[in-house]
Amino acid sequence: MAPPVAVSPLIKTARYSALIAGIIYGKRRYDHLKPIAAEERKIEEEEKKAREERERIAKQLAEANEDTILK
C-alpha cells in the first residue's frame, strides 16, 4: 500500500466549512418546519376525532336499522 497523501489545507478548510454550513442550514430549516408540522399534526388529530365520531354515528344508525329476529 502506498502511504497516504497529505491533503491541502485549503481542501480541509473547504470541507469543514461545508460541514458547518450544512449543520447550520439543517438547524435553521428544522426550526422553520417544526411549527408547521406541529400545526399539521393538530389539524390531523382534530380531523381524526371528527371522522371517528362520524363512523361511530354511522355504525349506531346501521345497527338501529338492522332487521333481526331478536328485535
Side-chain angles (χ1 to χ4, degrees):
M1 292 192 103
V5 178
V7 179
S8 166
L10 178 64
I11 293 174
K12 284 183 181 179
T13 303
R15 286 174 61 194
Y16 282 104
S17 297
L19 175 65
I20 292 169
I23 290 170
I24 292 170
Y25 170 78
K27 174 69 172 137
R28 292 184 71 198
R29 182 76 175 153
Y30 176 77
D31 290 341
H32 173 72
L33 293 176
K34 187 175 180 182
I36 296 170
E39 182 66 26
E40 288 175 354
R41 281 192 301 271
K42 183 178 138 188
I43 292 169
E44 180 64 31
E45 184 177 329
E46 291 170 358
E47 289 174 353
K48 181 180 177 186
K49 287 180 183 178
R51 184 176 61 247
E52 288 174 349
E53 182 66 19
R54 285 193 306 269
E55 289 172 357
R56 185 185 63 79
I57 292 170
K59 184 178 178 183
Q60 287 178 345
L61 288 174
E63 289 175 356
N65 292 333
E66 194 175 273
D67 292 329
T68 64
I69 299 174
L70 300 175
K71 288 186 178 181

